Structure formats: C-alpha cells, structure tokens
Amino acid sequence: MSRATAHVPAPAPGAGGTRLFLTLAFLIAVFNLLGLVMVMSASSVVALDEYGSSWYFVQRQAAWAAVGTVALVITAKLDYHHWRRFAGPFVLVALLLLTVVLPIGTGTRGATRWIGVGPLTFQPSELAKLALLVWCADLLARRAAYTHNLRATLRPVIVVLAAMATLVMLEPNLGTTIVLAAIALTMCYVGGVPLGPLARWSAFGIGAATALALAAPYRRARVLAFLDPWADPMDKGYQNIQSMVGLAEGGLIGKGLGAGTAKWGFLPLAHSDFIFAVIGEELGLVGATAVVGLFVLLAVVGIRIALHAPDRFGLLLAVGVTSWYCVQAFVNIGAVIGILPITGVPLPFISAGGSSLVFGMAGAGLLLSVARQAPDAVPGARPREPAMSTSEP
C-alpha cells in the first residue's frame, strides 16, 4: 500500500461524531439561508438598476448554492482519504489557473481575478485555498516523523505557498494572500513544525506582503485609507465611511430587514464584500453579533472535529478548513468595521459570489467527511495515527 493512500480503516461513527456531523450540517444550512436572505436584501436596488430585475443576484446566488450543495454532498460522502492521491495534481492545476488568469482573466477595479465567459466565471484563487490545504495535510501527514526536519516539512510548504501568494498578489488580491498564508502556517503549527522557524517565516511573509501592497501608489492609498478615511472621504475613504455609517445607523436592533439605505447606491459592493454592513444596518448590533457568534460556533465545531479525527490527515484537513473560514471571516468583518484595510475577500457562505460559495461548500463537505468518520467525541480523546512509512519522506 502506498504512503499516499495508507490510513486506518474508517471506524463506525460514534454518537459524538454524529452530533458533530449534524451540528456542522445545520450551521452550513443556516449560513446559506442567511446568505440568500441578505443577498436578496442588499442587492435588490443595484440589480434593478443594472439588470432590470431585483431578483438577479439572489437568483444567481441560489443557483450557485445548489451547485455548492452538490459539491458538499459529494465531498461529504466520499472518504476524505481519497483526496490524498490527488493532492499533488490538485496544487499543480491551481498554480496553472492562477498563472493563466493573469493574461486572459477579467476583473474590476484594476484587479484580474476571474476566468470564464459571460456569467460562467470563477476565481482560481478560491480553488487554490482548497488545493493548498489538501496538499499541506497530505504532506504533513506523510512526514509526521520528520516534523523537526524543516527541509522535509516547512520548506516545501513555503515554496508552494510563496508561488501561490506571488501569483495571487499579481492579480492583486491581498486578502486571499493572507488567507492562504494563514491556512498553511496554521496547519504547519498544528502539524508539529517548530514555532521559531514558523514565526520567522511569518514575519518575512508579512513584510513581503506589506511591501507588495504598498508598492503601487493607488494600492498604497487604498490599503492605508482605513487609518484615516476622512482624509479622502469622496474617493479612497468613501467605502470605509459608508460602511461605518450603515453600521451606526443600525443601532441595537436595526432598521428591519429590507429597510436599510446603504444599498441605495451609497455603499459599493453592499451585496458582496460589504454585506456585513448591511446586516448591521438592517439587523442591528443584535444581528451582527449573532453572525459573529455563528462563526465562533463554526470554529468550535471545526476544532472539535479536528480533535476527534480518526487520523492525522483528517485532523490537518479539519484544521485547514476551519482556519480558512475563520481567518477569512475575520479579514472581511475587520475591513467592514474599519479595523483592517479593505482587501476584497467575501464573508464565507454569506457574501454574493459563486466561486467563494461553491469551493467553500466543498471545503465544508471535507469537514463533514472527517466528522462522519469520528469514532466518538470523547473529551480528551486523542486521534488515532495512520499507518506511516518510516522510509525517507
């Protein structure tokens, strides 16, 4: 049996594993329903103005949700160990598409991020998140006995991450670069790579990303606008200001679903990157806090699934998917409330966007597959290790 496919046979799920599976499935359903409702509310005005129908964006989101549901069901039913044999090709395809998108892709606001024709487009950077975490999980699981050998573990992860991050920054897309780095480095830390080298590479990556973000004057002005949006309130700081105005007007309980005014042309991208501002305006502090609470609960469930995974590969997969959702939500919400620069990442499962939703749902399916095979969620239980080769990694 090859190292790439060697694993402990899947145990019958215990009551704890079933509870985690059902809890996660319920959370994903809640996120999708909330996303459809808020996209319908946030996009109705711009959809009517640009496409002649208030239902344009929500219909597209519902269609992508259906595709995402199929992706979730397939990945949840498929034994997650089967992904190991495709880890290498998966990363190569992602790198190829990230390269291709630069000369032939389409985009807006100076960014080139989509491949496709007409409405059938997708973002290779969303595929890259899934490909990177599967590849990292496979590498770190296979080389579990070599975690202190940086040439065998950290170095290949840094090489692949650097290649992906460079291509994504050329789009440019700082937010996705941050998410990719967070996924890889979190998985390395959980996988046992020494903290010192991880900290040094993290500091280097932060410095490199900052330098690239500030290299071009227009990007520098946009990234730094969150520090003082009132310095240019009608241009660079406009989106920051309108986002915070919407949140402030929501008060404690909000204006009511559909009654917000930010979406009436005041807040750009209200239905996608800034949908959290619409949530805050229409559902108030109570609704916004509930959404944050849902992501906290998602993090708790993801961590519990990782802790009770049947083997090391499942643990690392669960960690990768969970860090993906949580870091991306933090970056998105941080930009909306003005504590982070605007980087253009969507709020997982809630923002309008087909690529983000479909690949996010596929990631949720992987997490469900790990939960489905958890023998039982007994506090303090340690996951069983897979059969590993002791030969050269």
Side-chain angles (χ1 to χ4, degrees):
M1 182 180 292
S2 69
R3 288 174 296 164
T5 58
H7 63 272
V8 176
T18 302
R19 284 195 297 270
L20 289 172
F21 181 93
L22 294 176
T23 302
L24 178 60
F26 176 75
L27 270 175
I28 299 302
V30 170
F31 274 121
N32 275 270
L33 290 173
L34 177 62
L36 287 173
V37 171
M38 294 314 304
V39 167
M40 179 175 63
S41 177
S43 68
S44 57
V45 175
V46 67
L48 181 62
D49 180 56
E50 296 182 4
Y51 299 98
S53 170
S54 298
W55 301 92
Y56 178 80
F57 287 107
V58 71
Q59 287 175 339
R60 285 174 57 86
Q61 188 75 354
W64 284 118
V67 175
T69 300
V70 173
L72 180 145
V73 170
I74 291 173
T75 52
K77 284 184 172 294
L78 185 68
D79 185 339
Y80 64 86
H81 297 97
H82 291 301
W83 287 88
R84 301 190 70 170
R85 69 186 67 179
F86 304 112
F90 202 8
V91 162
L92 292 177
V93 169
L95 288 170
L96 176 62
L97 292 174
L98 287 172
T99 304
V100 169
V101 74
L102 296 174
I104 69 169
T106 60
T108 59
R109 298 173 177 245
T112 305
R113 301 176 183 175
W114 288 268
I115 292 178
V117 178
L120 299 178
T121 59
F122 83 102
Q123 286 184 264
S125 58
E126 295 295 334
L127 172 67
K129 297 170 189 174
L130 192 60
L132 179 66
L133 72 88
V134 170
W135 181 81
C136 284
D138 175 58
L139 177 81
L140 295 170
R142 282 189 292 110
R143 302 183 178 182
Y146 306 89
T147 53
H148 289 272
N149 182 347
L150 301 184
R151 294 182 60 185
T153 53
L154 184 58
R155 184 177 295 182
V157 171
I158 293 298
V159 169
V160 172
L161 174 61
M164 282 190 174
T166 301
L167 292 170
V168 172
M169 281 301 297
L170 290 174
E171 295 182 359
N173 192 338
L174 176 61
T176 297
T177 303
I178 293 171
V179 175
L180 287 169
I183 291 171
L185 296 176
T186 301
M187 293 178 72
C188 285
Y189 174 72
V190 173
V193 174
L195 183 58
L198 271 180
R200 289 193 292 272
W201 276 108
S202 298
F204 175 79
I206 291 171
T210 302
L212 287 171
L214 302 181
Y218 79 95
R219 289 208 302 267
R220 180 168 61 249
R222 188 163 182 81
V223 167
L224 297 179
F226 83 104
L227 296 175
D228 184 12
W230 293 101
D232 189 4
M234 299 308 294
D235 188 11
K236 300 297 186 298
Y238 179 80
Q239 202 166 20
N240 300 77
I241 293 170
Q242 292 301 321
S243 174
M244 289 185 282
V245 167
L247 290 168
E249 290 187 347
L252 181 62
I253 60 174
K255 295 180 175 180
L257 186 62
T261 56
K263 62 194 177 189
W264 286 79
F266 296 104
L267 178 61
L269 303 177
H271 60 292
S272 54
D273 297 350
F274 279 78
I275 199 166
F276 188 76
V278 178
I279 293 173
E281 183 185 18
E282 298 189 353
L283 304 182
L285 178 63
V286 173
T289 302
V291 171
V292 173
L294 286 172
F295 279 106
V296 171
L297 181 56
L298 179 62
V300 171
V301 172
I303 291 170
R304 287 184 62 82
I305 291 173
L307 289 174
H308 303 292
D311 52 32
R312 185 178 177 84
F313 179 63
L315 180 151
L316 291 166
L317 269 186
V319 167
V321 174
T322 303
S323 61
W324 167 12
Y325 297 153
C326 294
V327 171
Q328 186 163 316
F330 175 77
V331 171
N332 176 275
I333 294 173
V336 171
I337 65 178
I339 64 171
L340 294 175
I342 298 172
T343 53
V345 296
L347 190 60
F349 305 113
I350 298 177
S351 293
S355 300
S356 175
L357 183 57
V358 170
F359 289 112
M361 293 283 276
L366 283 180
L367 202 53
L368 285 167
S369 180
V370 177
R372 185 168 61 88
Q373 297 190 32
D376 204 351
V378 179
R382 294 175 61 87
R384 292 187 294 171
E385 292 294 330
M388 291 189 305
S389 168
T390 56
S391 60
E392 190 272 331

